[in-house]
Amino acid sequence: MLFNIITIFPQILDSYVNESILKRAQKSKKITIKTHNLRDFTSDRHRTVDDTPYGGGPGLVFKIEPIYKCL
């Protein structure tokens, strides 16, 4: 079974996927976990993945372009 995880912080997940049950499942080849850094799919030099919400206000909205390229 393959799990693809899209994230902007792939190193944070390392401690979770390399411990306990997930580690044993990967070692026995029952699952494969791949992380994809969303910032690798940006086109600007600042590797920006977030955008301002429509209408303003607080919150975080991801740009569709990096997500589309990653998928």
Side-chain angles (χ1 to χ4, degrees):
M1 187 177 297
L2 173 63
F3 294 94
N4 287 293
I5 301 172
I6 300 171
T7 178
I8 58 174
F9 302 111
Q11 292 83 14
I12 289 177
L13 296 174
D14 289 342
S15 62
Y16 296 107
V17 299
N18 294 321
E19 294 294 328
S20 189
I21 296 170
L22 294 176
K23 181 179 179 178
R24 290 194 308 255
Q26 289 180 82
K27 195 171 188 177
S28 65
K29 307 280 188 205
K30 293 184 180 184
I31 67 170
T32 303
I33 300 173
K34 294 183 180 180
T35 58
H36 305 278
N37 188 347
L38 192 58
R39 294 185 191 279
D40 292 341
F41 299 92
T42 60
S43 57
D44 64 331
R45 68 181 182 142
H46 298 291
R47 301 175 68 187
T48 307
V49 294
D50 55 333
D51 206 353
T52 54
Y54 179 77
L60 173 73
V61 177
F62 283 121
K63 291 182 176 183
I64 191 63
E65 292 85 4
I67 296 171
Y68 183 77
K69 288 178 183 178
C70 182
L71 293 175

